Amino acid sequence: MSVDAPETQAAPQAPRERPAGIGLFGWLRWGWRQLTSMRTALVLLFLVALGTVPGSFLPQRGLAPEKVTAFFQQHKTLAPWLDRLSLFDVFAAPWFAAIYILLFVSLAGCVLPRAKHHFVQLRSRPPKAPRNLGRLPESASYETDAAPDEVLAEARAILKDRRFRVDAHDDAVAAEKGYLRETGNLVFHLALLVLLFAVGSGAAFGYKGNVLVTEGEGFSNTVASYDAFKGGRSFTASKLPPFTVWLDSFSASYLPSGPNRGQPTNFSAKVRYQNGLSSPVRSYDLKVNHPLNVDGARVYLLGHGYAPRFTVRDGKGQVAFQGAVPFLPTNEATYASEGVIKVPDAQPDQLGFIGLFWPTAVPNQQGKVVSAFPAAWNPQVALFAFKGDLGLSNGAPQSVYKLETGKLKPILMGNKVKPLAAGQTLQLPGGAGSVTFDGYRQYVTLQVNHDPGRVPALAAGIVAILGIVTSFLVRRRRVWVRAKAAEGGRTVVQVGGLTLGGATPDFEAIVERLKKAAPEQPRSTAPDESPNMDEE
Amino acid sequence: MVDPHLAHLSNQLMLGAVLLYVVAMVGYAADISFGRRRVAAVPEEAKVLVGAGGPEAVEDAQETETETEDEDERRRVDWGRFAILLNVLAWGVHGAEIVTRGMAADRVPWGNMYEFVSAITFAAVTVYLVMLWRYKTNWLGPFLMVAVVIALGIATIWLYDDPGPLRPALHSYWIAIHVTAAVTATGTFTVAGVSTILYLLRARRTAPKPGGLLERVPDAETLDRLAHRTMMFGFPIWTFAIIAGAIWADSAWGRYWGWDPKETWSFITWVVYAGYLHARATAGWRGRKAAIISLIAFACLLFNFFGINYLVSGMHSYA
Ligand code: HEM
């Protein structure tokens, strides 16, 4: 592929020497050439790969913020330094953006000129036969009794038949095919540009919200009803479609026995939803791999948990709280969970509880209660009780999963805390009130998102694959046939072949067919070396 | 839900496949050592026979052949045939292992590390057998068998898991599409990796030591081209595997790309393989440097497979 390879490998090579005294414009041009060179592309590809590595080893805020917090607690001096380098937000880091933007600028700067060049090529004619066909990587030569014109006509027919683009010059036929290779390669690279653009704009215009919904409750698609909500840079809250989703029931099944006992086998949430007030209410069976499509958004089932139900009576005997309180699983295998109950309406003192919930409570060897199975076969709770001031009145936001114990006095702690089965009531010491464990509900955590870039991104991905497969399957080939009259009424036929990027697999077949059409006659002088190129 | 008889049968078939691969490996090795004496006597001829060159160049060497060399030649061919036969047999048993495993658990037979390794080695052997059939790459056999036997050994001893149902996130027909593509690409890259290592070894000297392990291996250029072609086959499949994974993640986790460690390393692997393909087209990077890049890419692939599952926790940790 030494012969005129530069023509198809249009990728500009980096000029080695720096420009001397050519002014700003010259430097800019030099810089642009550098940036769009294959070598720079290679380096940038490696930098992108290298840049993502810390993202897979260090906890990332976007993925697991709680792990980042834990990391900060464990590595008090190191963490702030890593944070300064954005190593907990690698994929949103300025330096990471710099690398990939450079790569894609390089890509555009490389591919767009190549596309233009290729466009011209697509409509060009095959290049004329080189003077000496014997010097090509593949060549053959023989003598025949057929006339030169006949040989060339035959050659044209054969090559056309093989779908070459064929041109006849005075004593030679020039043929070329395989333009699709470069087309495929360009389509692949352009599709990557489109893909990046789609991903970027999807993130900018989309949104994502997470919400916890307990059985029997629902939520509507407004920013306020989400527990966590993130809109892209160009997202506007007024664009949220007004739908509502209710959770009727949730069920999970687990392997009841065997070595993988407790492994979940199925999750399913029965939901109803409504696209705005005027639409009918429909129901849907929401499962892990079956998101609900509603009004351009998608609702996903991400997780689940238990929400034990309580009735709290205060020191005056009034019902101060009644309802289900979502507990967060602390153990994914057994669904042992933890939660907090805040009773600001209790009198004379506000009441607060930290609760443990075991879906299948059993005593372990030490006599402590643990959960043996994630399904609720024997649900029990234990409550640590506090009274005093919950600290809600100062207006500072509080997590519903944390009790601010600063102004609270523990009234039931340690060994005095006994597990309660459903229906049992705990009397608080000192006449502070009582708590009844009424049973449990389940809750699901849902994610709602809208990403307008996902379908274009998918399309670009598919086009990229088609492009690269095409470019790998097709080869760019050139074949020339020259026929010249020699002495004795004979014709010398010379065939030369060139495949950009390898030998032409069908070169020999073409020569064979030619020889059949214009039969070979043994000649006086020794033949050129025979073609012996490829093992294909 | 799990059929214990089929599960047992599958385990037995796995043992059988490993044993047959070992025998095939021995067969290939015997093939190499039986060729040795003759090769030492007539090195040029051996190079041609072994290499990918056509028969035409053999002719002048053949004149010097003696009776005993003919004899040796026949025996060599027999060992070679024996090795291939056993290799195909082992492959068949291996395939049956995978099928029975799937039937035992009543699902696609790739849901845990043991099954992944089994499927990947199966894909690698399949790719090798196709190459054997198309391009007569017997020389690759012994080296690939070593890799396959080691991988299956690790799988049976350390990674074994009884067949069981899949966790809910895996309940999707995308598992069949995504994992099949990933497994096929990984098997293909494994074959390419073995070829690349051979290329690097072979490229160090112009002529291999007579009687050495490498003397059956074709010249560096052929090896390089073969490895390149294999990777050109694997790369689009890997690309497809990543996209299929993104589609699946979109329906299972609510986002098509989230830089989960597994996704990150699939991306890294993809980019480094793209780097290899680029290096092959960049002046000053062809040959050795490109080969080393492709081995780095392969190392990323392996790390993604083993390292990420065991070292880093993410949504993809099935270990
Ligand atoms: C997003 C980053 C990129 C990726 C993933 C990528 C991927 C690829 C792949 C897989 C190939 C192999 C196709 C083949 O061998 O025929 C390729 C070829 C090529 N790429 Fe890129 N590329 C990227 C960026 C670039 C850039 C920035 C340039 C320009 C400087 C470039 C120029 C080329 C050229 C000229 C070829 C053809 C090589 C040949 O003829 O074999 N690519 N690219």
Side-chain angles (χ1 to χ4, degrees), chain A residues 211-352:
Chain A
V211 58
L212 184 151
V213 186
T214 309
E215 284 170 321
E217 295 175 5
F219 76 98
S220 43
N221 189 31
T222 58
V223 173
S225 61
Y226 289 105
D227 302 325
F229 185 88
K230 196 163 174 286
R233 243 168 301 128
S234 312
F235 163 82
T236 36
S238 57
K239 292 233 181 81
L240 283 178
F243 61 82
T244 310
V245 178
W246 298 270
L247 175 67
D248 287 340
S249 66
F250 172 78
S251 68
S253 41
Y254 305 91
L255 283 185
S257 59
N260 296 322
R261 181 170 185 270
Q263 180 189 310
T265 54
N266 195 30
F267 299 132
S268 151
K270 298 255 181 291
V271 298
R272 278 173 301 125
Y273 65 98
Q274 187 180 27
N275 273 355
L277 285 174
S278 50
S279 306
V281 176
R282 299 199 181 85
S283 46
Y284 189 80
D285 190 6
L286 189 61
K287 292 189 172 190
V288 173
N289 269 301
H290 297 272
L292 163 68
N293 288 305
V294 44
D295 229 353
R298 291 165 52 99
V299 181
Y300 296 84
L301 176 61
L302 284 195
H304 66 105
Y306 291 99
R309 283 163 48 230
F310 300 100
T311 304
V312 180
R313 280 169 216 277
D314 62 14
K316 294 184 173 168
Q318 313 267 346
V319 173
F321 174 83
Q322 189 161 42
V325 183
F327 276 32
L328 298 183
T330 49
N331 181 327
E332 294 284 338
T334 65
Y335 265 79
S337 311
E338 223 176 278
V340 161
I341 313 160
K342 296 182 187 179
V343 192
D345 297 339
Q347 288 179 357
D349 292 307
Q350 292 187 327
L351 293 173

Side-chain angles (χ1 to χ4, degrees), chain A residues 39 42 45 52 56 63 67 91 255 263-265 288-289 291 298 300 447 449 451 454 458 461 465 472 532 535, chain B residues 56 165 168-169 171 225 232 240 243 247-248 250-252 254 256 258-259 264-265 268 271 275 283 293 303 312-313:
Chain A
R39 197 164 298 135
L42 199 55
L45 277 172
T52 53
S56 69
L63 284 172
K67 285 191 189 153
F91 305 106
L255 283 185
Q263 180 189 310
T265 54
V288 173
N289 269 301
R298 291 165 52 99
Y300 296 84
Q447 177 177 307
N449 71 18
D451 182 343
R454 44 194 279 285
L458 176 63
I465 292 183
F472 282 169
N532 175 24
E535 83 286 4
Chain B
E56 61 271 15
H171 288 191
R225 204 161 29 184
M232 281 165 83
F240 174 75
I243 293 178
I247 298 175
W248 185 10
D250 183 53
S251 70
Y256 55 84
W259 296 110
T264 304
W265 279 87
I268 293 173
V271 169
I293 296 175
F303 178 74
V312 188
S313 76

